[in-house]
Each structure stands twice: as C-alpha cells, then as structure tokens.
Amino acid sequence: RDYHSQHRELLVELVTNSPDDFQLPDGVDIETYVSVLYGALVGLHMQWRLAPDLVDLEAGMAALEAIAISASANPVTPAEQDA
C-alpha cells in the first residue's frame, strides 16, 4: 500500500507542478485525474506481467503519455462529450 501511495503522491505533485498550459477538464479534479492515470499505469503493467508476449509495454506507455498530454492540451467538458 505504501508503494502505491507514494507513487500516487508523486503523480499529484507532478500534475500540481506541471506547466501553466496543463489544464484538467471541467469537473475533473487532480485526485480523480491521478486515480485514472495511475489505474491505467498499473493496469498496463499488470497486463504486461501476465502476458509479456502480447503486451508491448513501451508502446502502451507511449500511448498513455500521448493520451494524457492530449487530454490536458484539449480538455473536454462532460457537456461537450454528450454532444
């Protein structure tokens, strides 16, 4: 548990101290964002550990990074998602 708590705290710190152009979508707070991001990281790693021949960890990490950067550069509000 301490291991995961430390990594979550590190992610919160990274997001909190990110460049000014980093924006979270309306209605998404840092804790929620970090929970989703960390969950994706842990899930990707777990998949790789279970089936390393099927999961490309480097490609998955690159995709996750691209998704996180894209989401912060182009935040979408829940109302925009429903439209």
Side-chain angles (χ1 to χ4, degrees):
R1 181 178 163 112
D2 288 337
Y3 174 84
H4 293 287
S5 295
Q6 290 172 348
H7 283 88
R8 280 183 47 77
E9 289 173 15
L10 176 61
L11 281 173
V12 168
E13 184 178 323
L14 289 171
V15 171
T16 302
N17 297 319
S18 63
D20 291 338
D21 60 347
F22 181 88
Q23 298 177 17
L24 293 174
D26 290 342
V28 177
D29 61 15
I30 290 174
E31 288 294 328
T32 302
Y33 180 79
V34 166
S35 292
V36 171
L37 183 61
Y38 191 64
L41 286 168
V42 170
L44 180 61
H45 186 257
M46 181 63 68
Q47 290 181 68
W48 174 74
R49 297 279 296 171
L50 292 171
D53 53 329
L54 298 176
V55 177
D56 183 338
L57 185 59
E58 286 187 34
M61 293 297 288
L64 183 57
E65 180 181 7
I67 291 166
I69 290 169
S70 175
S72 68
N74 303 299
V76 177
T77 65
E80 291 173 326
Q81 287 178 331
D82 294 337

